[in-house]
Amino acid sequence: ASATAELNFCAEKELDKADAQLNQVYKKVLAFIAKNGSEKPFDAKSWEAALRESQRAWVAFRDADCKGLVPMSWTGGSGTSGAVLGCLSEKTKARMKELEELYELE
């Protein structure tokens, strides 16, 4: 790929792949929590609620950083979309790795 549209298409596919992989890891984490929860406040229901809150906050940060801050450095240039998609993809992969390591899923 060499044209901007082709690069963006490839970057979008990479993001879709990373997002699908993160969703798989997230489901594994939910299963881990369901199996390993103990008594309050560390019960599965409370633990899952904490994970969901954390994930929502992470998505908000990722989106603010990649969709809000990254475009500023490109000042509307033709590479902006690719940079945003790349940022989203890299942060998604990093979150996946973080969850895998935290819950020893690897």
Side-chain angles (χ1 to χ4, degrees):
S2 59
T4 302
E6 292 171 333
L7 292 170
N8 289 347
F9 178 79
C10 291
E12 193 169 341
K13 290 293 182 191
E14 184 67 24
L15 174 58
D16 290 345
K17 180 181 173 185
D19 196 40
Q21 290 172 330
L22 176 58
N23 286 333
Q24 289 175 349
V25 168
Y26 190 80
K27 287 177 186 178
K28 289 179 184 178
V29 171
L30 288 173
F32 177 91
I33 289 170
K35 184 178 176 183
N36 292 287
S38 60
E39 296 180 17
K40 284 194 176 228
F42 307 105
D43 59 296
K45 185 176 179 180
S46 299
W47 194 352
E48 182 179 325
L51 174 68
R52 290 186 188 281
E53 182 180 344
S54 172
Q55 192 68 8
R56 281 191 296 272
W58 173 81
V59 168
F61 162 74
R62 180 200 66 183
D63 289 351
D65 199 43
C66 295
K67 295 178 181 177
L69 184 59
V70 167
M72 294 299 172
S73 65
W74 284 84
T75 61
S78 63
T80 302
S81 294
V84 168
L85 290 167
C87 178
L88 291 167
S89 183
E90 289 306 310
K91 287 197 183 320
T92 300
K93 290 175 190 176
R95 177 63 172 173
M96 179 182 64
K97 184 173 173 60
E98 178 182 296
L99 289 174
E100 286 174 334
E101 289 175 358
L102 182 63
Y103 293 97
E104 299 178 354
L105 299 176
E106 295 184 273

